């Protein structure tokens, strides 16, 4: 009984955030794919990034372990494979000029994560780019609440750890930053004083209460 309940919960969790939220998250990152002609979105979900890339005139394909997600992508006219990401990236003969790994690496054990990054390095052409997006454990609310709402999350990967892993494999780090701050409140004065108060709390308690969002790392294969 317990196992069936967990499987039903996981199916619900795989639905993910709504399309508007995903588009807002990826919109400022699309520039990293400019000039690319063959992009792989690993763990592509419903194909929202694939759609955004197509709208930008960039050819892209996806892979995902969830059959329903793959079927949705196929209905949208995308090339998409239903398989474990390690099996797909490690087994394909294709070479890509960019690979996107959005909200995936936190689902992998450390050994599998390192293997996956090595596979991405092998499947990129020289000068190819790897984009990683993952929940930022420096964000207090993410590490204490949101990260643990998904039962399929294995562990967080801090920015400094990911950078070391990527450099160890041979990647060069092009960009490494937090996701953009969402301005939910239009009152600029209110936003200013909220940031001042949070900064003051940090100085006293050393707790970083400022929104940090996701960790975004863009790496390239020399």
């Amino acid at each position: 009984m317990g196992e069936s309940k967990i499987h039903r919960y996981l199916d619900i969790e795989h639905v993910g955030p709504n399309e508007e939220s995903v588009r807002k998250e990826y919109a400022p990152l699309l520039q990293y794919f400019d000039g690319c002609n063959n992009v792989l979105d690993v763990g592509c979900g419903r194909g929202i990034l694939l759609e955004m890339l197509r709208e930008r005139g960039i050819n892209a394909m996806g892979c995902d372990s969830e059959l329903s997600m793959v079927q949705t992508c196929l209905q949208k006219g995308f090339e998409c494979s239903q398989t474990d990401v390690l099996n797909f990236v490690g087994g394909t003969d294709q070479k890509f000029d960019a690979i996107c790994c959005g909200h995936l690496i936190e689902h992998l054990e450390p050994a599998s994560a390192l293997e996956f990054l090595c596979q991405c390095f092998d499947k990129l052409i020289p000068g190819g780019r790897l984009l990683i997006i993952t929940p930022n454990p420096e964000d207090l609310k993410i590490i204490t609440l949101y990260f643990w709402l998904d039962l399929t999350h294995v562990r967080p990967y801090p920015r400094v750890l990911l950078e070391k892993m990527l450099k160890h494999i041979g990647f060069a780090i092009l960009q490494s930053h937090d996701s953009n701050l969402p301005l939910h409140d239009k009152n600029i004065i209110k936003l200013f004083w909220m940031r001042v108060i949070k900064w003051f709390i940090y100085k006293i308690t050393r707790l970083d209460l400022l929104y940090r969002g996701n960790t975004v790392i863009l790496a390239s294969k020399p």
Side-chain angles (χ1 to χ4, degrees), residues 75-87:
Q75 290 169 0
K76 294 178 179 179
F78 294 110
E79 182 180 351
C80 190
S81 299
Q82 193 244 327
T83 181
D84 176 83
V85 294
L86 289 173
N87 291 336

mmCIF file with all atom_site columns, all heavy atoms in Angstrom, residues 75-87:
data_model
loop_
_atom_site.group_PDB
_atom_site.id
_atom_site.type_symbol
_atom_site.label_atom_id
_atom_site.label_alt_id
_atom_site.label_comp_id
_atom_site.label_asym_id
_atom_site.label_entity_id
_atom_site.label_seq_id
_atom_site.pdbx_PDB_ins_code
_atom_site.Cartn_x
_atom_site.Cartn_y
_atom_site.Cartn_z
_atom_site.occupancy
_atom_site.B_iso_or_equiv
_atom_site.pdbx_formal_charge
_atom_site.auth_seq_id
_atom_site.auth_comp_id
_atom_site.auth_asym_id
_atom_site.auth_atom_id
_atom_site.pdbx_PDB_model_num
ATOM 1   N N   . GLN A 1 75 ? 3.969  14.771 -30.029 1.00 0.00 ? 75 GLN A N   1
ATOM 2   C CA  . GLN A 1 75 ? 2.768  15.408 -30.559 1.00 0.00 ? 75 GLN A CA  1
ATOM 3   C C   . GLN A 1 75 ? 3.049  16.836 -31.014 1.00 0.00 ? 75 GLN A C   1
ATOM 4   O O   . GLN A 1 75 ? 2.392  17.352 -31.925 1.00 0.00 ? 75 GLN A O   1
ATOM 5   C CB  . GLN A 1 75 ? 1.653  15.401 -29.512 1.00 0.00 ? 75 GLN A CB  1
ATOM 6   C CG  . GLN A 1 75 ? 1.082  14.024 -29.220 1.00 0.00 ? 75 GLN A CG  1
ATOM 7   C CD  . GLN A 1 75 ? 0.172  14.007 -28.001 1.00 0.00 ? 75 GLN A CD  1
ATOM 8   O OE1 . GLN A 1 75 ? -0.056 15.026 -27.356 1.00 0.00 ? 75 GLN A OE1 1
ATOM 9   N NE2 . GLN A 1 75 ? -0.354 12.827 -27.673 1.00 0.00 ? 75 GLN A NE2 1
ATOM 10  N N   . LYS A 1 76 ? 4.042  17.463 -30.400 1.00 0.00 ? 76 LYS A N   1
ATOM 11  C CA  . LYS A 1 76 ? 4.425  18.826 -30.788 1.00 0.00 ? 76 LYS A CA  1
ATOM 12  C C   . LYS A 1 76 ? 5.380  18.847 -31.981 1.00 0.00 ? 76 LYS A C   1
ATOM 13  O O   . LYS A 1 76 ? 5.779  19.911 -32.438 1.00 0.00 ? 76 LYS A O   1
ATOM 14  C CB  . LYS A 1 76 ? 5.079  19.541 -29.598 1.00 0.00 ? 76 LYS A CB  1
ATOM 15  C CG  . LYS A 1 76 ? 4.137  19.804 -28.429 1.00 0.00 ? 76 LYS A CG  1
ATOM 16  C CD  . LYS A 1 76 ? 4.880  20.462 -27.273 1.00 0.00 ? 76 LYS A CD  1
ATOM 17  C CE  . LYS A 1 76 ? 3.937  20.765 -26.103 1.00 0.00 ? 76 LYS A CE  1
ATOM 18  N NZ  . LYS A 1 76 ? 4.652  21.390 -24.947 1.00 0.00 ? 76 LYS A NZ  1
ATOM 19  N N   . GLY A 1 77 ? 5.747  17.649 -32.444 1.00 0.00 ? 77 GLY A N   1
ATOM 20  C CA  . GLY A 1 77 ? 6.587  17.563 -33.627 1.00 0.00 ? 77 GLY A CA  1
ATOM 21  C C   . GLY A 1 77 ? 8.072  17.514 -33.356 1.00 0.00 ? 77 GLY A C   1
ATOM 22  O O   . GLY A 1 77 ? 8.877  17.703 -34.276 1.00 0.00 ? 77 GLY A O   1
ATOM 23  N N   . PHE A 1 78 ? 8.468  17.212 -32.117 1.00 0.00 ? 78 PHE A N   1
ATOM 24  C CA  . PHE A 1 78 ? 9.879  17.156 -31.773 1.00 0.00 ? 78 PHE A CA  1
ATOM 25  C C   . PHE A 1 78 ? 10.402 15.730 -31.821 1.00 0.00 ? 78 PHE A C   1
ATOM 26  O O   . PHE A 1 78 ? 9.665  14.775 -31.565 1.00 0.00 ? 78 PHE A O   1
ATOM 27  C CB  . PHE A 1 78 ? 10.124 17.729 -30.373 1.00 0.00 ? 78 PHE A CB  1
ATOM 28  C CG  . PHE A 1 78 ? 9.842  19.197 -30.257 1.00 0.00 ? 78 PHE A CG  1
ATOM 29  C CD1 . PHE A 1 78 ? 8.753  19.648 -29.540 1.00 0.00 ? 78 PHE A CD1 1
ATOM 30  C CD2 . PHE A 1 78 ? 10.665 20.126 -30.875 1.00 0.00 ? 78 PHE A CD2 1
ATOM 31  C CE1 . PHE A 1 78 ? 8.481  20.999 -29.434 1.00 0.00 ? 78 PHE A CE1 1
ATOM 32  C CE2 . PHE A 1 78 ? 10.402 21.485 -30.778 1.00 0.00 ? 78 PHE A CE2 1
ATOM 33  C CZ  . PHE A 1 78 ? 9.305  21.923 -30.065 1.00 0.00 ? 78 PHE A CZ  1
ATOM 34  N N   . GLU A 1 79 ? 11.686 15.594 -32.134 1.00 0.00 ? 79 GLU A N   1
ATOM 35  C CA  . GLU A 1 79 ? 12.360 14.309 -31.980 1.00 0.00 ? 79 GLU A CA  1
ATOM 36  C C   . GLU A 1 79 ? 12.641 14.116 -30.500 1.00 0.00 ? 79 GLU A C   1
ATOM 37  O O   . GLU A 1 79 ? 13.250 14.972 -29.853 1.00 0.00 ? 79 GLU A O   1
ATOM 38  C CB  . GLU A 1 79 ? 13.671 14.300 -32.776 1.00 0.00 ? 79 GLU A CB  1
ATOM 39  C CG  . GLU A 1 79 ? 14.414 12.986 -32.704 1.00 0.00 ? 79 GLU A CG  1
ATOM 40  C CD  . GLU A 1 79 ? 15.711 12.992 -33.482 1.00 0.00 ? 79 GLU A CD  1
ATOM 41  O OE1 . GLU A 1 79 ? 15.955 13.970 -34.213 1.00 0.00 ? 79 GLU A OE1 1
ATOM 42  O OE2 . GLU A 1 79 ? 16.499 12.025 -33.337 1.00 0.00 ? 79 GLU A OE2 1
ATOM 43  N N   . CYS A 1 80 ? 12.187 13.015 -29.952 1.00 0.00 ? 80 CYS A N   1
ATOM 44  C CA  . CYS A 1 80 ? 12.319 12.812 -28.509 1.00 0.00 ? 80 CYS A CA  1
ATOM 45  C C   . CYS A 1 80 ? 12.376 11.316 -28.211 1.00 0.00 ? 80 CYS A C   1
ATOM 46  O O   . CYS A 1 80 ? 11.620 10.536 -28.796 1.00 0.00 ? 80 CYS A O   1
ATOM 47  C CB  . CYS A 1 80 ? 11.140 13.451 -27.770 1.00 0.00 ? 80 CYS A CB  1
ATOM 48  S SG  . CYS A 1 80 ? 11.325 13.510 -25.975 1.00 0.00 ? 80 CYS A SG  1
ATOM 49  N N   . SER A 1 81 ? 13.268 10.927 -27.301 1.00 0.00 ? 81 SER A N   1
ATOM 50  C CA  . SER A 1 81 ? 13.450 9.519  -26.953 1.00 0.00 ? 81 SER A CA  1
ATOM 51  C C   . SER A 1 81 ? 13.038 9.278  -25.510 1.00 0.00 ? 81 SER A C   1
ATOM 52  O O   . SER A 1 81 ? 13.325 10.088 -24.630 1.00 0.00 ? 81 SER A O   1
ATOM 53  C CB  . SER A 1 81 ? 14.915 9.111  -27.132 1.00 0.00 ? 81 SER A CB  1
ATOM 54  O OG  . SER A 1 81 ? 15.324 9.267  -28.468 1.00 0.00 ? 81 SER A OG  1
ATOM 55  N N   . GLN A 1 82 ? 12.364 8.142  -25.290 1.00 0.00 ? 82 GLN A N   1
ATOM 56  C CA  . GLN A 1 82 ? 11.970 7.761  -23.943 1.00 0.00 ? 82 GLN A CA  1
ATOM 57  C C   . GLN A 1 82 ? 12.982 6.757  -23.415 1.00 0.00 ? 82 GLN A C   1
ATOM 58  O O   . GLN A 1 82 ? 13.002 5.588  -23.795 1.00 0.00 ? 82 GLN A O   1
ATOM 59  C CB  . GLN A 1 82 ? 10.569 7.148  -23.938 1.00 0.00 ? 82 GLN A CB  1
ATOM 60  C CG  . GLN A 1 82 ? 9.974  7.026  -22.537 1.00 0.00 ? 82 GLN A CG  1
ATOM 61  C CD  . GLN A 1 82 ? 9.721  5.604  -22.106 1.00 0.00 ? 82 GLN A CD  1
ATOM 62  O OE1 . GLN A 1 82 ? 9.393  4.757  -22.918 1.00 0.00 ? 82 GLN A OE1 1
ATOM 63  N NE2 . GLN A 1 82 ? 9.872  5.350  -20.822 1.00 0.00 ? 82 GLN A NE2 1
ATOM 64  N N   . THR A 1 83 ? 13.866 7.241  -22.544 1.00 0.00 ? 83 THR A N   1
ATOM 65  C CA  . THR A 1 83 ? 14.931 6.404  -22.016 1.00 0.00 ? 83 THR A CA  1
ATOM 66  C C   . THR A 1 83 ? 15.561 7.081  -20.816 1.00 0.00 ? 83 THR A C   1
ATOM 67  O O   . THR A 1 83 ? 15.380 8.277  -20.596 1.00 0.00 ? 83 THR A O   1
ATOM 68  C CB  . THR A 1 83 ? 16.017 6.145  -23.092 1.00 0.00 ? 83 THR A CB  1
ATOM 69  O OG1 . THR A 1 83 ? 17.024 5.305  -22.544 1.00 0.00 ? 83 THR A OG1 1
ATOM 70  C CG2 . THR A 1 83 ? 16.654 7.445  -23.535 1.00 0.00 ? 83 THR A CG2 1
ATOM 71  N N   . ASP A 1 84 ? 16.302 6.317  -20.041 1.00 0.00 ? 84 ASP A N   1
ATOM 72  C CA  . ASP A 1 84 ? 17.098 6.878  -18.956 1.00 0.00 ? 84 ASP A CA  1
ATOM 73  C C   . ASP A 1 84 ? 18.155 7.803  -19.555 1.00 0.00 ? 84 ASP A C   1
ATOM 74  O O   . ASP A 1 84 ? 18.779 7.470  -20.573 1.00 0.00 ? 84 ASP A O   1
ATOM 75  C CB  . ASP A 1 84 ? 17.759 5.745  -18.181 1.00 0.00 ? 84 ASP A CB  1
ATOM 76  C CG  . ASP A 1 84 ? 18.681 6.258  -17.091 1.00 0.00 ? 84 ASP A CG  1
ATOM 77  O OD1 . ASP A 1 84 ? 18.185 6.573  -16.013 1.00 0.00 ? 84 ASP A OD1 1
ATOM 78  O OD2 . ASP A 1 84 ? 19.900 6.340  -17.354 1.00 0.00 ? 84 ASP A OD2 1
ATOM 79  N N   . VAL A 1 85 ? 18.378 8.945  -18.932 1.00 0.00 ? 85 VAL A N   1
ATOM 80  C CA  . VAL A 1 85 ? 19.271 9.946  -19.533 1.00 0.00 ? 85 VAL A CA  1
ATOM 81  C C   . VAL A 1 85 ? 20.695 9.423  -19.681 1.00 0.00 ? 85 VAL A C   1
ATOM 82  O O   . VAL A 1 85 ? 21.379 9.724  -20.671 1.00 0.00 ? 85 VAL A O   1
ATOM 83  C CB  . VAL A 1 85 ? 19.261 11.256 -18.715 1.00 0.00 ? 85 VAL A CB  1
ATOM 84  C CG1 . VAL A 1 85 ? 17.895 11.916 -18.789 1.00 0.00 ? 85 VAL A CG1 1
ATOM 85  C CG2 . VAL A 1 85 ? 19.675 11.019 -17.270 1.00 0.00 ? 85 VAL A CG2 1
ATOM 86  N N   . LEU A 1 86 ? 21.154 8.629  -18.719 1.00 0.00 ? 86 LEU A N   1
ATOM 87  C CA  . LEU A 1 86 ? 22.511 8.083  -18.813 1.00 0.00 ? 86 LEU A CA  1
ATOM 88  C C   . LEU A 1 86 ? 22.633 7.128  -19.993 1.00 0.00 ? 86 LEU A C   1
ATOM 89  O O   . LEU A 1 86 ? 23.638 7.131  -20.710 1.00 0.00 ? 86 LEU A O   1
ATOM 90  C CB  . LEU A 1 86 ? 22.901 7.383  -17.511 1.00 0.00 ? 86 LEU A CB  1
ATOM 91  C CG  . LEU A 1 86 ? 23.158 8.282  -16.304 1.00 0.00 ? 86 LEU A CG  1
ATOM 92  C CD1 . LEU A 1 86 ? 23.363 7.442  -15.054 1.00 0.00 ? 86 LEU A CD1 1
ATOM 93  C CD2 . LEU A 1 86 ? 24.372 9.158  -16.535 1.00 0.00 ? 86 LEU A CD2 1
ATOM 94  N N   . ASN A 1 87 ? 21.590 6.319  -20.205 1.00 0.00 ? 87 ASN A N   1
ATOM 95  C CA  . ASN A 1 87 ? 21.606 5.397  -21.335 1.00 0.00 ? 87 ASN A CA  1
ATOM 96  C C   . ASN A 1 87 ? 21.577 6.142  -22.653 1.00 0.00 ? 87 ASN A C   1
ATOM 97  O O   . ASN A 1 87 ? 22.264 5.769  -23.608 1.00 0.00 ? 87 ASN A O   1
ATOM 98  C CB  . ASN A 1 87 ? 20.420 4.434  -21.258 1.00 0.00 ? 87 ASN A CB  1
ATOM 99  C CG  . ASN A 1 87 ? 20.532 3.453  -20.109 1.00 0.00 ? 87 ASN A CG  1
ATOM 100 O OD1 . ASN A 1 87 ? 21.630 3.170  -19.631 1.00 0.00 ? 87 ASN A OD1 1
ATOM 101 N ND2 . ASN A 1 87 ? 19.403 2.947  -19.650 1.00 0.00 ? 87 ASN A ND2 1
#
